[in-house]
Amino acid sequence: MVILDATVVSIALPGIQHTLGFSSSGLSWVMNIYLLAFGGLLLLGGRAGDIFGRRRLLAYGIALFTLASLLGGLATNPTELLASRLAQGVGAAVAAPSTLALIVSTFQDPNERARAIGLFSAMSAGGATVGLILGGMLTSWFSWRWVMFINVPFGLVVTLLAPRVIQEPARHGGRLDLGGALAATGGMVSLVYGFIRAATGGWTTPLTLGCFGAAVVLLTVFVLVERKVAQPLLPLSLLTDRVRAGGYAALGLIAAAMFGMFFFITQYLQNGLGLSPIRAGFAFLPLAVPIFVGARLAPRLVPRLGARPFLLAAPLLLLSGLALLTRINAHTAYTSGILPSMLLFGFGAGFTMVPLSVTILGSVRPEESGAASGTLQTMQQVGGAVGTAIGTTAFTAALRHPVGGPGAAGAHATLAHGVSIAMTCSAALVLVAFVVLAGVVAPKLVRPSGQAQVPQQPVVFD
């Protein structure tokens, strides 16, 4: 629900603008305000689940998310919709870390945990793609309001069943690190907002630079606070392990590439190839299916082969898919130019996210699972903001230099060129992620011979 909601609204934006009277600049905040709240509060949500109870936080977060979805679908003006999107982001930030932490703490058998994380990764990686498909269906068949209403029945089911079917793990009491929480939340909000502003207003404007400066100061204060408090919001030991730190970095880079790819290929399909919202949504089906296939197969193969071969080979599939997209031009058709890249990218994502998530979370102690889960999802959300901002900057710069002459044909050629440049940026991000995985993470992973482990960590797989 929470990952899907980051993209399901994107295809509905034209209908939202027409119905509620958003300005062109204000419309972007339908997406951005959700990302801002979600990404900014994830660390706080993860640690709160450790202290106050993960099942409780899951139920509370989904209840807030569900109520906000209902109110958003009933919105009659821009202010009401933006307020509901803000509340959705808060609910998502509370629920999402507890979801993953419950998986890590509930499944103690290494192979069961790997399969559970695999399903979670499939939902995370595929949810964004399914959001595009579902958004196109609901917008075309009903109205944009149903991209909000669709959350209500599922949210009610989760809220009502969670206390009955989920066992509450042992709480790890203590007090919430308020100083760290304020610094982390302020720093993450400033960082995410800085990237949002960079994408729309430029990287050198005073507001953008001020946001980045505030983020650096606040996150530095956060690290200093975490080094001194007895019960930190984010145990720094999670980041001192080389394998886990490299995994977090690679995850953020791959998420940046994925969000950038979703954002710009959606534009090319609708504005370049002239597809309707529903056809543009279904055009992503060849991306969603391989993600789910890879995410289902990887948990069965990783215990046998280890994570290392997947972390070395799968990112190359991602890179190959993006390399094809860098060749988009005025004559690119969906079948010959977009479809093959989606298949490669889908299998790459499906076989990358599961071993990467298992590598990061497989040896986390139960009392740190909430913080580790919140950090993982923070990297995904901040990575998405970074990727979109970098791609938008490159795309906007390309549009300033038309390549196809005047008229509709020239506009189409210029759009295609801009998308190609943006995809080059995404490919560069995946290339850096591959270097991190090959040079930092993979050398420390041992291929299983009966069992596999992350060096200097507890056993990951039997």
Side-chain angles (χ1 to χ4, degrees):
M1 286 173 62
V2 299
I3 299 297
L4 179 146
D5 220 69
T7 57
V8 71
V9 176
S10 62
I11 288 183
L13 289 177
I16 291 173
Q17 184 176 24
H18 176 74
T19 303
L20 300 185
F22 273 92
S23 65
S24 297
S25 59
L27 188 65
S28 64
W29 279 104
V30 177
M31 301 291 293
N32 291 339
I33 200 166
Y34 178 79
L35 180 64
L36 191 66
F38 191 7
L41 295 172
L42 271 168
L43 283 177
L44 179 59
R47 184 56 179 155
D50 287 340
I51 296 175
F52 301 116
R54 295 168 191 146
R55 186 182 66 185
R56 176 184 295 179
L57 268 291
L58 169 65
Y60 287 171
I62 292 298
L64 175 59
F65 187 92
T66 303
L67 177 61
S69 298
L70 176 63
L71 295 177
L74 298 173
T76 59
N77 58 64
T79 301
E80 291 177 1
L81 182 61
L82 291 179
S84 71
R85 290 288 285 169
L86 177 65
Q88 279 185 312
V90 175
V94 172
S98 292
T99 305
L100 187 52
L102 281 166
I103 290 173
V104 173
S105 59
T106 298
F107 295 96
Q108 296 299 315
D109 178 78
N111 291 330
E112 289 185 355
R113 179 184 286 188
R115 287 194 294 270
I117 292 177
L119 285 172
F120 180 89
S121 299
M123 295 300 102
S124 297
T129 308
V130 172
L132 297 171
I133 300 171
L134 186 61
M137 294 169 59
L138 294 174
T139 302
S140 297
W141 293 346
F142 303 103
S143 81
W144 68 265
R145 296 184 184 277
W146 280 93
V147 303
M148 307 292 285
F149 290 148
I150 193 64
N151 293 316
V152 176
F154 296 104
L156 289 175
V157 169
V158 173
T159 303
L160 294 175
L161 291 185
R164 294 173 172 82
V165 302
I166 298 176
Q167 182 179 356
E168 179 70 90
R171 299 184 192 177
H172 306 283
R175 301 175 60 185
L176 192 63
D177 173 20
L178 294 180
L182 291 173
T185 301
M188 294 308 302
V189 168
S190 298
L191 183 64
V192 173
Y193 185 68
F195 282 113
I196 290 172
R197 287 297 306 173
T200 57
W203 292 83
T204 58
T205 62
L207 182 55
T208 301
L209 295 176
C211 288
F212 286 137
V216 170
V217 172
L218 289 170
L219 293 178
T220 301
V221 171
F222 171 66
V223 172
L224 295 176
V225 170
E226 299 306 278
R227 293 177 61 183
K228 295 181 179 180
V229 297
Q231 295 175 318
L233 186 70
L234 173 62
L236 297 182
S237 59
L238 291 175
L239 304 180
T240 55
D241 177 74
R242 180 177 176 178
V243 169
R244 190 177 295 113
Y248 278 135
L251 182 70
L253 290 164
I254 291 172
M258 290 182 67
F259 273 75
M261 186 264 203
F262 293 153
F263 184 79
F264 289 103
I265 296 304
T266 300
Q267 292 193 49
Y268 181 75
L269 292 174
Q270 293 192 69
N271 299 329
L273 300 184
L275 300 186
S276 65
I278 188 169
R279 291 184 65 193
F282 274 105
F284 278 91
L285 191 59
L287 177 64
V289 172
I291 287 176
F292 284 111
V293 171
R296 290 293 291 155
L297 291 177
R300 303 177 184 180
L301 298 176
V302 169
R304 302 175 185 175
L305 305 176
R308 182 176 182 177
F310 295 94
L311 296 181
L312 293 176
L316 296 179
L317 292 175
L318 289 171
L319 193 59
S320 299
L322 289 170
L324 292 178
L325 293 178
T326 64
R327 302 175 62 184
I328 286 178
N329 56 51
H331 305 290
T332 298
Y334 173 78
T335 304
S336 60
I338 308 297
L339 178 59
S341 65
M342 285 193 172
L343 292 171
L344 287 169
F345 196 91
F347 280 113
F351 283 107
T352 298
M353 301 305 289
V354 174
L356 192 53
S357 299
V358 170
T359 298
I360 293 171
L361 298 174
S363 58
V364 171
R365 296 193 299 270
E367 63 270 20
E368 295 180 344
S369 59
S373 302
T375 304
L376 183 149
Q377 292 164 321
T378 297
M379 294 303 297
Q380 289 179 316
Q381 297 307 312
V382 173
V386 172
T388 304
I390 293 174
T392 300
T393 301
F395 178 77
T396 304
L399 294 185
R400 297 194 188 103
H401 302 88
V403 297
H412 175 67
T414 301
L415 172 68
H417 176 65
V419 172
S420 171
I421 297 299
M423 292 302 92
T424 301
C425 294
S426 291
L429 292 170
V430 173
L431 180 60
V432 175
F434 174 74
V435 171
V436 172
L437 291 171
V440 177
V441 178
K444 295 291 184 179
L445 300 179
V446 179
R447 178 172 177 169
S449 54
Q451 67 176 201
Q453 65 183 57
V454 178
Q456 300 177 350
Q457 295 291 337
V459 170
V460 177
F461 300 115
D462 287 336

